[in-house]
């Protein structure tokens, strides 16, 4: 080894030792005849000192060293006169006897410290330098920890990790595929997997029984802060199980991760049906750190001459507790918020419950105190509460109210990043109707099994069929989802027919799976967790990018290696493009 210790290791008990350290020069400064250097490596920072009176040559040499030079130094550990309680090594420094320059460095384009002066784009371009910063490095250390404990946990439960191929067949379901031309089969294309779904099911047919894989998946979708074209899943599948077994097994995994990684004991996960989530929270991933459920005022508010309500399919209220003191300006801002094109509400109606229990609403002309009292009773509103009401078409109003609920949760400080509330959302519909293309779509994916008791609706009212599908939601983020699968060829065929596949198309796209089902497929089911998302949740950040070593920007570009990029005419010719 070129070093005896790391830069995060030495303590007061090491005083007097002769040591050798290697690392990068983070910062240097002179105070008269003494020079100081902060030497950094992955493990921390150690202060080096150079005394002109004790060793003039080394002192002079140290003065010309630049930032990010790679150094090997030898010297003696001494106690510091001015200790730094904020540094693990802050009680000591190294009195340097010799310095070897292992490599020089150009002046870095931004300061490599926790508070850097580098903008996003610049740090992405020089990601290898950004990764030297302790806070960025810590995110990857957290990621490593999460993957290590995941493997440990699943291994102890008899799961085995199996790699599935990256070059597979393009299928029309789900998101858009990334495709790869085949040189040896000109005119034909591979696709990169959106998930190892069919392969993990085939592994169950093979009898592997419990499979997992921490695996890259690829989806060619429009990007958002929490999406990347390539991302990682903890992908799992089990045989001879029912929904309940999967929920229990993976609830235990997530609980143990919270314990190991954050030392947090997660409450048992409540289960909420999809219908309940939509009705009371307006979305299938409710943030349950705070309650504020929807209250339907249709019966109380219609028929009083207020045309807007009378002509609406649905009138939905929420009770913002303690927010009666919202000013006119704050209410105007909330109104502007719900009227944003992305949300699209026509307006916002409010009713304050004043100190003395009287009501002051924006619709006083139509509703007297007795009417508003009924609203308040329905909403459980008391003095100092603020009732907010939206109206319109049912599903749209639910969506809009869901956004408003989240916004209020934020404004009222109810969405604390250190509080974790997890739940299972279950009983999803099997299919949803796509108005634009006039066809049914699988809500999860086409391999998800219907609840046996709902099979009777298959040819008449498919929207009524509930699926054996489930999502795990934490703090309003869908961290994982899965289903019990179809393992019977005929049912799988029926499902493809419902989704508008001809027999020939189904055979062509998924024949391999349906054929496999003819050779003794066991009942099976599984789940996949968004690994990057889980890491960002543990780290308390909104963007998964911070937890990926070399992420893409929001145009899907890697600005460091400059990809995607053009290919040569030669390559194109060879690929027959
Ligand atoms: N393959 C599914 C997905 O990627 C998860 C699953 O059903 O296991 O969402």
């Amino acid at each position: 080894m070129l070093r005896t210790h790391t830069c995060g290791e030495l303590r007061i008990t090491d005083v007097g030792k002769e040591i050798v350290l290697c690392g990068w020069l983070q910062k240097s400064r002179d105070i008269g005849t003494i020079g100081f250097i902060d030497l950094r490596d992955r493990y921390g920072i150690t202060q080096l000192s150079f005394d002109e009176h004790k060793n003039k040559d080394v002192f002079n040499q140290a003065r010309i060293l630049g930032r990010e030079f790679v150094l090997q130094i030898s010297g003696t550990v001494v106690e510091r006169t001015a200790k730094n309680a904020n540094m693990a090594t802050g009680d000591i420094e190294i009195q340097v006897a010799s310095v070897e320059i292992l490599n020089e460095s150009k002046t870095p384009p931004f300061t490599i410290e926790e508070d850097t002066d580098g903008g996003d784009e610049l740090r992405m371009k020089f990601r290898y330098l950004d990764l030297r910063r302790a806070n960025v490095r810590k995110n990857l250390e957290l990621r490593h920890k999460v993957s290590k404990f995941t493997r440990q946990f699943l291994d102890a439960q008899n799961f085995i990790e199996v790699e599935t191929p990256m070059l597979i067949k393009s299928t029309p379901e789900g998101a858009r595929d990334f495709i790869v031309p085949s040189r040896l089969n000109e005119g034909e294309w591979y696709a990169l997997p959106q998930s190892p779904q069919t392969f993990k099911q085939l592994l169950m047919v093979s009898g592997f029984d419990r499979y997992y894989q921490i695996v890259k998946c690829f989806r060619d979708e429009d990007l958002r802060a929490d999406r990347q074209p390539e991302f990682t899943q903890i992908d799992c599948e089990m045989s001879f199980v029912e929904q309940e077994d999967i929920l229990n097994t993976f609830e235990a995994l997530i609980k143990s991760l919270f314990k190991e990684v954050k030392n947090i004991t997660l409450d048992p996960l409540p289960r909420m049906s999809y219908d309940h989530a939509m009705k009371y929270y307006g979305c299938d991933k409710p943030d349950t750190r705070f309650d504020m459920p929807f209250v339907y005022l249709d019966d109380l508010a219609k028929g009083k001459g207020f045309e807007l309500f009378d002509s609406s399919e649905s009138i939905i209220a929420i009770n913002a507790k303690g927010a009666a003191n919202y000013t006119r300006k704050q209410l105007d801002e909330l109104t502007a918020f719900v009227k944003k094109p992305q949300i699209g509400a026509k307006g916002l109606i409010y009713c304050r419950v004043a100190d003395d229990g009287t009501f002051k609403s924006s619709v006083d002309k139509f509703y007297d105190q007795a009417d508003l009292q009924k609203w308040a009773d329905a909403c459980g509103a008391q003095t100092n509460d603020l009732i907010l009401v939206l109206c319109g078409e049912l599903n749209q109003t639910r969506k809009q109210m869901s956004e408003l609920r989240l916004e209020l949760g934020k404004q009222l400080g109810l969405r604390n990043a250190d509080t974790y509330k997890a739940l299972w959302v279950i009983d999803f519909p099997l299919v949803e109707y796509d108005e634009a293309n006039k066809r049914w779509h699988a809500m999860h994916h086409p391999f998800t099994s219907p609840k046996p008791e709902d099979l009777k609706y298959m040819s008449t009212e498919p929207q009524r069929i509930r699926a054996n599908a489930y999502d795990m939601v934490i703090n309003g983020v869908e961290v994982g989802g899965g289903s019990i699968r179809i393992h019977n060829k005929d049912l799988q065929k029926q499902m493809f027919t419902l989704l508008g596949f001809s027999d020939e198309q189904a055979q062509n796209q998924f024949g391999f799976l349906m054929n496999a089902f003819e050779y003794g497929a066991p009942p099976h089911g599984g789940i996949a967790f968004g690994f990057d998302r889980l890491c960002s949740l543990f780290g308390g950040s909104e963007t998964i990018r911070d937890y990926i070593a070399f992420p893409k920007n929001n145009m899907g570009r890697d600005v460091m290696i400059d990809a995607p990029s053009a290919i040569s005419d030669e390559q194109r010719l060879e690929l027959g493009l």
Side-chain angles (χ1 to χ4, degrees):
M1 299 287 177
L2 299 184
R3 60 186 174 192
T4 57
H5 295 80
T6 70
C7 295
E9 203 178 340
L10 295 165
R11 299 288 182 272
I12 193 85
T13 45
D14 296 305
V15 166
K17 282 190 186 156
E18 301 288 318
I19 55 88
V20 183
L21 296 182
C22 292
W24 287 263
L25 187 158
Q26 172 150 320
K27 218 195 232 159
S28 61
R29 60 208 174 276
D30 285 347
I31 306 172
T33 60
I34 312 242
F36 293 102
I37 282 179
D38 282 349
L39 193 68
R40 175 205 339 106
D41 66 10
R42 193 186 127 189
Y43 306 91
I45 292 174
T46 298
Q47 178 166 292
L48 314 178
S49 74
F50 303 83
D51 188 329
E52 186 174 15
H53 297 308
K54 291 198 176 124
N55 194 333
K56 198 170 165 80
D57 288 349
V58 174
F59 176 82
N60 286 336
Q61 191 192 2
R63 300 187 92 149
I64 55 158
L65 300 171
R67 279 198 286 144
E68 300 308 317
F69 273 40
V70 190
L71 307 177
Q72 180 192 44
I73 64 96
S74 54
T76 313
V77 182
V78 297
E79 183 170 358
R80 272 206 221 182
T81 40
K83 300 198 169 53
N84 181 349
N86 298 324
M87 271 172 92
T89 60
D91 287 349
I92 58 99
E93 64 189 14
I94 311 300
Q95 213 160 64
V96 178
S98 73
V99 176
E100 177 89 18
I101 299 174
L102 298 178
N103 214 337
E104 297 188 351
S105 169
K106 292 208 309 201
T107 304
F110 50 87
T111 54
I112 300 181
E113 291 175 32
E114 302 226 356
D115 279 328
T116 177
D117 53 1
D120 267 359
E121 197 66 4
L122 192 64
R123 286 188 290 113
M124 288 276 262
K125 193 165 160 56
F126 293 89
R127 182 68 172 170
Y128 48 90
L129 295 181
D130 203 25
L131 288 170
R132 281 187 195 161
R133 295 168 56 225
N135 35 347
V136 186
R137 190 191 65 236
K138 277 185 189 131
N139 291 344
L140 292 192
E141 286 170 353
L142 174 90
R143 186 182 172 101
H144 165 72
K145 208 168 165 185
V146 179
S147 77
K148 188 177 90 175
F149 284 120
T150 301
R151 287 199 161 92
Q152 241 168 41
F153 179 93
L154 292 173
D155 181 65
Q157 306 269 330
N158 265 340
F159 283 81
I160 73 163
E161 184 160 21
V162 181
E163 287 170 273
T164 51
M166 288 288 122
L167 294 174
I168 65 167
K169 184 183 172 78
S170 181
T171 60
E173 273 299 315
R176 214 173 285 111
D177 282 329
F178 278 103
I179 52 172
V180 180
S182 164
R183 178 180 60 83
L184 295 177
N185 305 273
E186 210 180 292
E188 294 186 307
W189 305 77
Y190 299 104
L192 302 180
Q194 295 183 29
S195 88
Q197 184 61 37
T198 50
F199 290 96
K200 65 175 172 174
Q201 292 192 241
L202 292 173
L203 287 170
M204 294 303 109
V205 179
S206 308
F208 277 90
D209 190 77
R210 289 179 170 212
Y211 141 97
Y212 83 100
Q213 187 181 188
I214 299 185
V215 61
K216 271 290 174 70
C217 300
F218 306 85
R219 293 183 193 172
D220 187 5
E221 292 174 307
D222 294 334
L223 305 174
R224 293 199 307 247
D226 61 344
R227 276 208 193 137
Q228 284 276 307
E230 55 176 304
F231 60 97
T232 305
Q233 284 190 344
I234 307 172
D235 191 48
C236 310
E237 197 76 7
M238 297 171 88
S239 288
F240 307 117
V241 287
E242 293 175 327
Q243 174 163 310
E244 200 53 30
D245 304 309
I246 304 260
L247 300 192
N248 291 333
T249 305
F250 292 98
E251 182 165 329
L253 165 67
I254 294 300
K255 275 189 181 156
S256 111
L257 285 177
F258 266 94
K259 191 73 209 157
E260 296 283 359
V261 177
K262 299 216 54 115
N263 198 21
I264 286 176
T265 308
L266 215 55
D267 292 336
L269 274 63
R271 300 182 184 179
M272 188 186 288
S273 74
Y274 171 85
D275 284 348
H276 185 97
M278 296 307 287
K279 184 166 177 191
Y280 294 106
Y281 302 97
C283 72
D284 60 4
K285 39 177 186 291
D287 185 341
T288 49
R289 278 173 296 184
F290 65 109
D291 201 16
M292 212 185 280
F294 294 2
V295 178
Y296 290 77
L297 293 183
D298 302 51
D299 292 344
L300 300 177
K302 281 189 185 178
K304 302 275 176 176
F306 183 39
E307 164 61 22
L308 184 65
F309 278 177
D310 288 345
S311 63
S312 289
E313 183 184 0
S314 213
I315 305 166
I316 306 179
I318 49 173
N319 176 13
K321 288 215 128 326
N325 60 354
Y326 260 45
T327 59
R328 180 79 236 175
K329 181 161 172 274
Q330 282 174 300
L331 287 167
D332 286 347
E333 279 164 8
L334 280 184
T335 307
F337 172 83
V338 295
K339 281 173 127 177
K340 279 195 306 196
Q342 307 93 296
I343 298 185
K346 288 194 213 76
L348 178 66
I349 281 132
Y350 69 83
C351 173
R352 291 192 178 100
V353 193
D355 267 350
D356 58 3
T358 59
F359 302 100
K360 179 82 200 85
S361 83
S362 54
V363 284
D364 279 350
K365 232 163 72 187
F366 302 98
Y367 300 92
D368 61 20
Q369 292 288 306
D371 293 326
L372 297 174
Q373 179 68 54
K374 286 185 192 146
W375 292 17
D377 291 344
C379 296
Q382 294 159 338
T383 41
N384 292 327
D385 289 355
L386 173 70
I387 300 170
L388 295 165
V389 189
L390 293 175
C391 64
E393 192 265 327
L394 175 66
N395 290 332
Q396 266 176 15
T397 311
R398 280 180 171 172
K399 257 196 210 134
Q400 294 159 357
M401 194 48 116
S402 165
E403 299 290 342
L404 180 61
R405 177 182 172 273
L406 290 174
E407 176 62 22
L408 274 163
K410 192 165 87 187
Q411 291 190 9
L412 298 174
L414 304 171
R415 298 175 70 194
N416 184 341
D418 298 328
T419 306
Y420 293 92
K421 287 284 177 215
L423 75 154
W424 290 106
V425 176
I426 57 173
D427 297 346
F428 279 84
L430 184 71
V431 288
E432 58 188 341
Y433 197 64
D434 169 3
E435 280 295 343
N437 296 303
K438 300 267 170 272
R439 49 171 289 219
W440 296 98
H441 265 301
M443 190 115 171
H444 187 53
H445 53 52
F447 316 109
T448 295
S449 67
K451 290 205 183 287
E453 62 271 30
D454 291 348
L455 270 175
K456 54 181 184 277
Y457 304 121
M458 196 81 166
S459 52
T460 50
E461 298 167 279
Q463 73 278 9
R464 289 184 69 174
I465 311 173
R466 287 163 308 154
N468 286 315
Y470 31 81
D471 276 356
M472 187 187 282
V473 176
I474 305 181
N475 293 359
V477 176
E478 180 205 320
V479 294
S483 60
I484 298 295
R485 326 297 183 188
I486 297 170
H487 64 280
N488 164 292
K489 181 181 176 175
D490 292 333
L491 185 55
Q492 187 64 72
K493 228 170 114 179
Q494 252 179 294
M495 183 67 187
F496 282 129
T497 308
L498 173 62
L499 299 177
F501 286 73
S502 68
D503 281 358
E504 199 193 339
Q505 280 169 332
Q507 192 56 40
N508 192 5
Q509 305 278 353
F510 296 111
F512 63 94
L513 188 68
M514 287 193 290
N515 294 345
F517 285 173
E518 292 189 293
Y519 292 94
H524 61 285
I527 194 165
F529 290 95
F531 181 64
D532 316 281
R533 233 178 240 193
L534 210 52
C535 293
S536 72
L537 197 74
F538 283 134
S541 152
E542 303 238 308
T543 87
I544 63 173
R545 221 191 270 178
D546 298 344
Y547 296 82
I548 296 175
F550 297 105
K552 309 269 187 286
N553 73 5
N554 47 17
M555 284 303 294
R557 299 200 67 85
D558 183 326
V559 291
M560 181 184 67
I561 61 171
D562 192 24
S565 59
I567 56 170
S568 69
D569 289 343
E570 256 173 344
Q571 275 174 302
R572 210 185 281 273
L573 212 62
E574 203 170 48
L575 292 166
L577 298 176

